[in-house]
Amino acid sequence: MTAPHEPIPGTTIFDGRMAMKGYPLNKMCYSFNEAAARQEFLADEDAYCAKFGLTDEQKTAIKERNALALLAAGGNIYYLAKFIGMLGLNVQDIGAQQTGMTVEEFKAKLKAAGN
């Protein structure tokens, strides 16, 4: 079993430090629960990111649509799910990216593990 302080390959550990780092990003992603917020973001992404005070790292990850970089920038997968959903992706797509598998391989692995 992996000790809590040892990273799991392919993952970003979301701890208190990451929660603080990702607060603006996660707050913005939470706002996407409202259709009006999603429309405002799509109309002017830069202004919407500025409204929440995203860091340069977070803004770059948003512009590049890079879910793994968003996780590394403090994003919590549960908040990011709304943003990645706007891109037509889901949490299984992110799991596949984290493991270096195709989505089909990742789904098969989950099924084999009983998930």
Side-chain angles (χ1 to χ4, degrees), residues 34-88:
E34 301 294 327
R38 295 190 298 272
Q39 291 170 353
E40 183 181 346
F41 171 82
L42 293 172
D44 189 345
E45 293 183 21
D46 291 334
Y48 203 76
C49 289
K51 176 179 175 177
F52 287 89
L54 269 62
T55 65
D56 288 340
E57 176 188 16
Q58 293 165 343
K59 287 187 273 189
T60 298
I62 288 285
K63 284 180 192 253
E64 294 177 354
R65 307 301 200 246
N66 186 331
L68 297 182
L70 288 166
L71 291 169
N76 180 294
I77 191 62
Y78 297 105
Y79 293 113
L80 291 176
K82 207 47 145 166
F83 176 67
I84 63 174
M86 290 169 45
L87 305 177

